[in-house]
Amino acid sequence: MFMTKAKLSVIVISFLYFCIAISCNNNAKSLTPKQITDVQGTVMRMTKSIAKDISREGSIAWLKYFENTPEFFMASEGRLVFQNNDSATNFIKNILVKNIKKIELSWSNILIDPLTLKFANVAATFHEDITDFSGKTISEDGYFTGIAEKTSQGWKLRNAHWSTKNTK
């Protein structure tokens, strides 16, 4: 499949911006082994809490873990789904909770890469069983990536990306 020049330009600019942002802000090499372990442990706890809370409380629990700033965004399947926290909150509260009765979320192969004391990359394989109000359950498997940021309320997802493949 051929890409248009505009698409290729967006991809190249995005990649360069990411590389510059990471190289300018990444002091992971200056983190001590204890700091690396601490960041990995606290972000891992956040990740496990996400699965537990989503499975117990439903999709509304996501709002506890999305950073409540204009910088938050989420992409899925190659497209921007939420351009900020307000759009995510609106969708979850007004659409998702009215269509999904229950979600069982589980992670595996969780990778936490501390970038700084305040930022960490999170990546994991996930499985979800999503049940609607008619009782129909859809299972999805895929991969999740995101940047977690340490805030005054603890670790939150600054951005997230989901890629899924439907299973039966």
Side-chain angles (χ1 to χ4, degrees), residues 11 15 18 20 41 46 57 62 74 97-98 100 104 107 125 129-131 134 136-137 141 153 158 165 167:
I11 291 169
F15 178 75
F18 176 77
I20 290 168
M46 176 203 65
E57 301 168 28
W62 276 116
M74 181 186 287
V97 298
K98 295 176 182 178
I100 296 177
E104 291 290 330
W107 307 107
T125 303
D129 290 319
I130 303 167
T131 305
S134 71
K136 181 180 176 186
T137 299
D141 292 294
Q153 296 85 37
R158 182 178 176 99
K165 60 180 185 174
T167 60

Side-chain angles (χ1 to χ4, degrees), residues 1-155:
M1 173 182 243
F2 294 99
M3 276 193 228
T4 66
K5 286 184 181 181
K7 277 186 181 179
L8 183 58
S9 294
V10 168
I11 291 169
V12 169
I13 290 169
S14 296
F15 178 75
L16 290 174
Y17 176 78
F18 176 77
C19 291
I20 290 168
I22 293 301
S23 67
C24 290
N25 295 316
N26 186 359
N27 69 357
K29 292 181 181 172
S30 66
L31 295 177
T32 67
K34 181 181 179 342
Q35 289 171 324
I36 290 169
T37 300
D38 289 346
V39 170
Q40 287 173 327
T42 54
V43 174
M44 181 67 75
R45 280 193 291 282
M46 176 203 65
T47 307
K48 290 180 178 183
S49 291
I50 290 171
K52 182 179 79 174
D53 290 349
I54 297 299
S55 297
R56 185 180 60 226
E57 301 168 28
S59 53
I60 196 76
W62 276 116
L63 298 179
K64 290 194 266 185
Y65 298 100
F66 291 165
E67 193 173 274
N68 190 9
T69 65
E71 292 80 22
F72 172 83
F73 68 90
M74 181 186 287
S76 180
E77 308 306 333
R79 64 183 179 83
L80 184 63
V81 179
F82 304 127
Q83 66 271 16
N84 55 39
N85 185 280
D86 289 342
S87 61
T89 299
N90 182 53
F91 179 80
I92 290 170
K93 285 184 173 181
N94 297 312
I95 296 173
L96 207 56
V97 298
K98 295 176 182 178
N99 290 291
I100 296 177
K101 181 178 181 180
K102 183 176 181 158
I103 299 175
E104 291 290 330
L105 172 64
S106 61
W107 307 107
S108 60
N109 305 312
I110 300 171
L111 303 171
I112 309 293
D113 181 18
L115 302 173
T116 68
L117 287 174
K118 189 176 175 178
F119 292 99
N121 187 51
V122 180
T125 303
F126 73 89
H127 175 82
E128 285 183 308
D129 290 319
I130 303 167
T131 305
D132 66 18
F133 283 96
S134 71
K136 181 180 176 186
T137 299
I138 297 172
S139 294
E140 289 188 329
D141 292 294
Y143 205 74
F144 169 86
T145 58
I147 299 294
E149 181 173 5
K150 189 174 187 178
T151 71
S152 59
Q153 296 85 37
W155 287 94

